[in-house]
Amino acid sequence: KIIAIVKNNNMEVAMYVEIPKGSSDKYEYNPDTKKLELDRVLSVAMYYPEKYGLIFGTLAPDGDALDVVCLTEKTGGAGEYIKVRIIGVLRMTDNGEQDDKLIG
């Protein structure tokens, strides 16, 4: 569920795209190798409906960088940086850990 909406936010942040919109490939950035690596391919008839990535230099409660879901009509590849305006947060739990997703 979305618990917060940021109103009149003109601040843009740089999001690193891990997964392009429409992809069924799940990529993850590996901070040790500093490379984008294919984690898995979704085996069902599913795909990521929006761009998914992270904001470098941040730290989420799960120990990773903050995750971002970018609502956009534009497509583009993994590994690119795009400017996003954060408008809310999706509160989530993954394997018992808080794993929130920023909405941009």
Side-chain angles (χ1 to χ4, degrees):
K1 68 181 181 179
I2 296 176
I3 63 158
I5 299 293
V6 180
K7 295 185 179 188
N8 300 322
N9 176 13
N10 293 320
M11 186 181 77
E12 293 180 336
V13 295
M15 171 186 160
Y16 179 78
V17 178
E18 292 177 294
I19 305 169
K21 179 178 181 166
S23 177
S24 60
D25 298 336
K26 178 159 186 342
Y27 293 95
E28 286 197 6
Y29 180 79
N30 183 328
D32 296 327
T33 63
K34 300 195 179 351
K35 293 183 180 179
L36 194 58
E37 300 173 355
L38 181 63
D39 181 60
R40 65 183 175 272
V41 176
L42 301 178
S43 59
V44 294
M46 279 181 48
Y47 60 89
Y48 286 85
E50 302 296 340
K51 290 184 182 191
Y52 184 89
L54 57 90
I55 301 172
F56 284 119
T58 61
L59 187 62
D62 66 359
D64 294 332
L66 289 170
D67 295 321
V68 182
V69 176
C70 179
L71 308 176
T72 181
E73 294 180 7
K74 301 199 184 283
T75 58
E80 69 181 7
Y81 287 91
I82 59 171
K83 291 181 183 178
V84 296
R85 184 173 298 125
I86 304 303
I87 60 170
V89 63
L90 186 63
R91 289 294 227 174
M92 300 183 72
T93 303
D94 184 12
N95 292 324
E97 292 184 331
Q98 185 177 342
D99 193 19
D100 297 342
K101 311 295 182 209
L102 298 176
I103 308 296

